[in-house]
Structure formats: structure tokens, C-alpha cells
Amino acid sequence: MARRATSASAAGEAEAYPEGDRRAPFPHPRMTDHLFGHAEARAELDQAIASGRSHHAWLIHGSEGIGKASLAWQAARFTLADRDLRGDAGTLQTADAGGAISQIKALAHPGLLLIRVPYDLRDKRLRTVITVDEVRKLRGFLSLTGAGGGWRVVIVDRADDLNIAAANALLKSLEEPPPKTLFFLVTERPGRLLPTIRSRCRMLALHPLGSGDVLAAAKAALAGADAGATLPQPDALERYSAAADGSPGRLLTLASAAGAGLAEFVDGLFAKLPALDWPEVHRLADDLASPAQSARADLFFELLLARLAGDVRGRAAAAASADADHRRALATRAELWETLVREKASAEALNLDRKTLVLDAVARLQAASRA
């Protein structure tokens, strides 16, 4: 897929193929005209960019579906748009007008380069990693002067999809950036990046949104979804908002057909501990074992780990005044969270049986509860 369209026809061709950095059928983050929440992060970027002395590379990190890419695109628009289109100070907002904004939305702005997982035209599928060929496009892009002597912006979404060769190629550009160039790296897991890449970036953490912003962002995504797509109902958004953990993306998934029932299942799982309905657990494991249910299986583990992490945080807050049994329970649950994360990663890397992974995870949860 073309990373940077140079004409209207090229932009149209780019849109014809699946975009690895888009949560279909909802709009691509570059189409976002209003970003909900993240006021502190927006103000920090706004002030830095408006001063003209911004750090050359920003690493925007946070949980999945929280708005990291949308923030990066807001920053790109703010950087590349005419100054008279900028909104109130500290908002990172730009007016939805002008040639630069339209060019950015069409991936046709000469001062913008997007690096993401490419679409393989021969195999007709998205690649699983960002390859070194994608990063090598930086050479030509950075050799050019920004339009009218202005800024150039590079967005890498997601940086944790870089393979090792691509990461090393990106590092060279981060080490010796040309003047008036900004990099925005988007990642869920900054720890997976090379330490040398992290050290050359200014870290910008995004935190879970409040319930009002989560609902507003999810409803805005629904309003801009592809025509004819099967979409969650607004009442489902209300029902699952508490389980979204501050992420509009997760809320949309939970309220969709793929997420139907999973939040209730995980809630019931924790409510019954240490007793469990094992026939029910086996039925879910059988369902998630199907290759067609990989996204649903990922969501199940996200919900399970999020609920376990919430339990750990709650116990940690009370640990100072708690007795020895409470502290042992905290340590057990924290160790369980680390074990489940590690085993899921190993199962994905080795393509192990998903049913066994689900059953083992629930069994470990039950054992930890009894302990």
C-alpha cells in the first residue's frame, strides 16, 4: 500500500486496500477532528510544537484503543497546518479546513510520512510486521526540504510492530534527525522497543479516559463508521462502558458481536472464585479455540488480565496497613498476572493450542484464589 500518496489517484489507490493501523469499520485516526480527553498530553504537545523548539521524537504510549494514534495525528495536523488554523492554546486543535488538513486526511501531504504494517499486493494480505523497506522510505523523505521551508512529520504506528532490521534503520534517523522534523511513535508496549530508540524519544503516557469521554469517543466512532457495517447499538455502549477500562476502542469491541458476553463471563468468573462452573469454562474454551475466533480470544485475555490487574492495584493500595495474609494474596495475584502475560505471549509465538491456554489460565486463577 502506498504510504504517502503524491496525487489524488494515488491517495484513492491507498484507500482501496486494508489499512493495518485502522480499526475497521470505524474511521482511521487521521480522520478524527475532535480528540476526547487527554487534556494534559494535548497541552504538552501543543506548547512544545507551538514554541518551535519541540523535542524531535515523541513516544506516545498507553493501553490499546485509548487514543494514542488519534493524538499523533492531531499533533501532525497542528504541526503542518497554517498557523491561522490553530485553535485555542493548549488544545492541539486545528480548524477542519484548508489544504493541509485535506491533504493529511488523503495521505497526500508532502510533509508527512506514515510508517505502518504494509499490505502485500502479491499475497493480498497485511504483513505481520513493519519491514525495513517501509523504514527505508525515510531516506528520500528526509532528504527533501519541508514544503515552503516548513516542518516534516513522521508517524510510526505501531512502533512495536517494527522488526529488528526496521527498528535499527529507524534508530539511525532518530540519532541524526534533520532540522524541523518531528517523529511520533505510537506503541502499546514501549518495553518491546530497543532501549536506544526509547532513549532518543520524549515519553508521553496516555491514561485511561473518564467514563464520559469513553462514551463520547465511542459514539463519535459509530457516527463515522462505514456504511452498511454491522455496528454495536448505542445502548450496548452504555451497558459495557464500565468494563472498557477507560478505552473507547475496547468499548466498541465489547459492544460488538465479537465481544458479546465476554465481559459478563469474566465478571462471573471472578464472582464465583474459587468455585467455578467448569463445563461452562470448557464451552468457552472450545469456542475460542477456533482460528476464526482469534480476535475474540484476544479480547477474553485482555478482559481477564485487566480484571486481575485491577485486583492487584486495589490490594496494593491497602498493602501498607494490611496483614500478612493480604500481602501474600497481593504477591500471588501479581505473580499470576505476570505468568499469564508470559504464557499468552509464548502461545502466540509458538502457535500453541488456544483451548489449553484458556483452561490453564482459568485453572491458575482458581488455584491463586484458593491460595
Side-chain angles (χ1 to χ4, degrees):
M1 186 195 305
R3 296 278 75 80
R4 185 166 58 99
T6 56
S7 67
S9 61
E13 181 181 353
E15 291 299 304
Y17 302 110
E19 298 183 278
D21 54 342
R22 178 192 176 198
R23 181 192 294 269
F26 306 107
H28 189 280
R30 68 177 179 272
M31 301 298 182
T32 300
D33 293 323
H34 178 76
L35 184 65
F36 295 91
H38 306 308
E40 292 183 5
R42 284 189 284 129
E44 185 175 349
L45 278 171
D46 185 300
Q47 182 178 9
I49 296 170
S51 71
R53 299 185 299 274
S54 171
H55 193 283
H56 73 281
W58 295 76
L59 185 59
I60 303 173
H61 62 97
S63 58
E64 183 268 341
I66 206 171
K68 303 180 297 298
S70 294
L71 179 64
W73 282 99
Q74 288 279 324
R77 291 167 63 159
F78 188 81
T79 304
L80 297 173
D82 295 336
R83 286 183 175 271
D84 58 4
L85 290 179
R86 292 179 177 177
D88 296 335
T91 64
L92 203 66
Q93 195 70 26
T94 51
D96 185 21
I101 304 300
S102 298
Q103 286 179 317
I104 290 169
K105 289 185 175 182
L107 295 181
H109 195 288
L112 172 70
L113 179 66
L114 170 61
I115 296 175
R116 57 182 172 183
V117 170
Y119 183 77
D120 191 321
L121 290 173
R122 184 182 61 185
D123 294 338
K124 293 187 171 44
R125 62 180 178 84
L126 286 164
R127 302 289 293 271
T128 58
V129 296
I130 297 175
T131 61
V132 69
D133 288 339
E134 296 301 304
V135 179
R136 283 175 179 157
K137 294 174 182 178
L138 276 169
R139 295 177 184 174
F141 177 73
L142 297 180
S143 67
L144 303 173
T145 303
W151 287 81
R152 288 166 298 185
V153 173
V154 179
I155 294 178
V156 183
D157 186 12
R158 297 174 309 177
D160 34 339
D161 288 334
L162 292 160
N163 66 19
I164 189 62
N168 283 318
L170 176 63
L171 178 60
K172 293 179 181 178
S173 295
L174 292 175
E175 288 175 335
E176 300 178 1
K180 302 190 78 170
T181 301
L182 286 179
F183 290 82
F184 297 106
L185 281 62
V186 177
T187 179
E188 293 174 27
R189 297 177 289 275
R192 293 184 59 180
L193 303 181
L194 295 175
T196 43
I197 287 181
R198 297 200 304 269
S199 68
R200 283 159 177 79
C201 296
R202 181 167 170 176
M203 305 291 282
L204 186 61
L206 297 193
H207 304 291
L209 296 177
S211 58
D213 285 330
V214 169
L215 274 173
K219 289 178 179 178
L222 278 182
D226 294 341
T230 302
L231 301 173
Q233 295 300 311
D235 63 330
L237 296 181
E238 301 278 354
R239 188 164 65 252
Y240 290 114
S241 60
D245 200 26
S247 167
R250 177 175 290 173
L251 175 56
L252 289 167
T253 303
L254 284 172
S256 69
L262 284 181
E264 289 92 338
F265 181 90
V266 172
D267 286 344
L269 198 65
F270 278 81
K272 297 172 185 174
L273 287 172
L276 287 178
D277 183 347
W278 275 106
E280 183 184 33
V281 174
H282 274 271
R283 284 193 293 272
L284 178 70
D286 286 333
D287 179 41
L288 299 183
S290 167
Q293 296 295 321
S294 59
R296 185 171 162 83
D298 287 342
L299 179 59
F300 167 74
F301 274 98
E302 284 181 21
L303 292 168
L304 186 70
L305 290 169
R307 181 64 184 267
L308 187 57
D311 186 25
V312 171
R313 287 193 296 268
R315 290 175 181 273
S321 59
D323 58 20
D325 287 341
H326 182 98
R327 290 193 293 272
R328 278 195 296 270
L330 169 61
T332 298
R333 282 161 173 75
E335 182 180 356
L336 173 62
W337 186 90
E338 293 177 352
T339 299
L340 294 183
V341 170
R342 185 171 59 250
E343 290 189 346
K344 183 176 185 296
S346 297
E348 290 176 348
L350 301 174
N351 197 26
L352 300 179
D353 178 59
R354 193 181 294 125
K355 177 179 179 179
T356 301
L357 179 66
V358 172
L359 294 177
D360 284 350
V362 175
R364 288 182 184 276
L365 180 64
Q366 184 182 47
S369 178
R370 285 173 172 164

